[in-house]
Amino acid sequence: MVLNRVAAAKAAVHALALAPLGWLGWQVWQVYTGADIDALGAEPVAAIEHELGLWALRLLLVTLAISPLRALSGQAVVLRFRRMLGLYAFAYATLHFAAYLVLDLRGYWALVFEEIAKRPYITVGFAAWLLLVPLAVTSTRGWMRRLGRRWTRLHRAVYAIAVLAVLHFWWIVKSDVREPALYAGILVVLLGWRVWRRAARTGAARPAATGSAGAKQQ
């Protein structure tokens, strides 16, 4: 019964994660066929890149929210969705980068290195995507067994990736920074919770270690 519920929940998460891509695809089709040439606004390419990048950031933050949710709810089952959401974040980030290469640079991919070096927001965005690649590749149980403790250290890079992704979004927005500020605030809360938990564990471990040492001396 529990397995059926988990399977149904996973199916729902798949559907929700793919829904933005499906809607974007429909909008592109509307523009392509001429049914609604304004479906993507005045700048279709920018709209496509923006939506793909925004959903990559959102899914990345949702992935980071899994651990606090598990701690607050006491439901370990939510951890089963972390890998799935992380891979969807990587998929959207890859599509975001691909849209930039194909639609913005229009096949002149050699220019990408010049753009990365010249534009700081592209530099940090590319760095975030590049760091995501090994995390996506090593997300399987097999890689977890192969890497052992190194797997955990490697996947802590997700915190730096999230910071770079928010910074990338912030620098892209030229005037109204309310939306990137919102995501920055969410990230601060998620990272702050982890710092607080770590400090609490360290504080709890010290008295225990002191008590153990005192007992040995006695």
Side-chain angles (χ1 to χ4, degrees):
M1 190 67 177
V2 174
L3 290 176
N4 289 338
R5 289 179 181 175
V6 172
K10 283 187 174 182
V13 171
H14 279 299
L16 289 171
L18 288 169
L21 187 60
W23 175 245
L24 183 60
W26 171 251
Q27 290 176 306
V28 170
W29 178 253
Q30 292 288 93
V31 173
Y32 179 75
T33 59
D36 184 2
I37 59 173
D38 295 322
L40 290 168
E43 299 181 19
V45 171
I48 292 169
E49 292 176 3
H50 176 75
E51 283 302 307
L52 291 171
L54 193 56
W55 278 103
L57 176 58
R58 287 169 176 168
L59 287 165
L60 187 62
L61 293 177
V62 171
T63 304
L64 287 175
I66 292 294
S67 290
L69 181 61
R70 182 255 182 272
L72 293 172
S73 67
Q75 299 295 321
V77 70
V78 298
L79 295 175
R80 299 190 184 191
F81 301 94
R82 184 164 55 190
R83 174 176 172 270
M84 181 195 308
L85 290 165
L87 288 174
Y88 271 118
F90 173 70
Y92 274 96
T94 302
L95 289 172
H96 172 64
F97 184 45
Y100 166 70
L101 291 177
V102 176
L103 302 178
D104 218 329
L105 297 185
R106 300 188 180 186
Y108 295 99
W109 296 352
L111 293 175
V112 70
F113 299 107
E114 182 181 339
E115 291 287 293
I116 289 170
K118 186 170 63 175
R119 304 180 190 278
Y121 72 90
I122 296 179
T123 306
V124 298
F126 180 72
W129 177 80
L130 207 58
L131 288 171
L132 267 175
V133 174
L135 270 61
V137 171
T138 61
S139 64
T140 62
R141 292 183 183 275
W143 274 108
M144 289 179 70
R145 288 193 297 269
R146 291 188 197 100
L147 294 175
R149 292 181 179 179
R150 290 176 296 170
W151 187 91
T152 301
R153 290 197 293 269
L154 173 64
H155 280 252
R156 282 178 184 154
V158 70
Y159 307 139
I161 291 167
V163 171
L164 290 172
V166 169
L167 186 59
H168 172 67
F169 185 27
W170 195 295
W171 278 349
I172 286 175
V173 177
K174 294 183 175 67
S175 54
D176 190 352
V177 297
R178 285 177 296 179
E179 190 173 13
L182 171 63
Y183 293 117
I186 293 171
L187 179 60
V188 167
V189 171
L190 293 173
L191 296 183
W193 178 86
R194 284 168 167 82
V195 171
W196 172 77
R197 288 274 291 186
R198 188 176 184 122
R201 287 174 184 171
T202 303
R206 283 174 182 169
T210 303
S212 176
K216 287 181 180 179
Q217 290 176 0
Q218 290 177 2

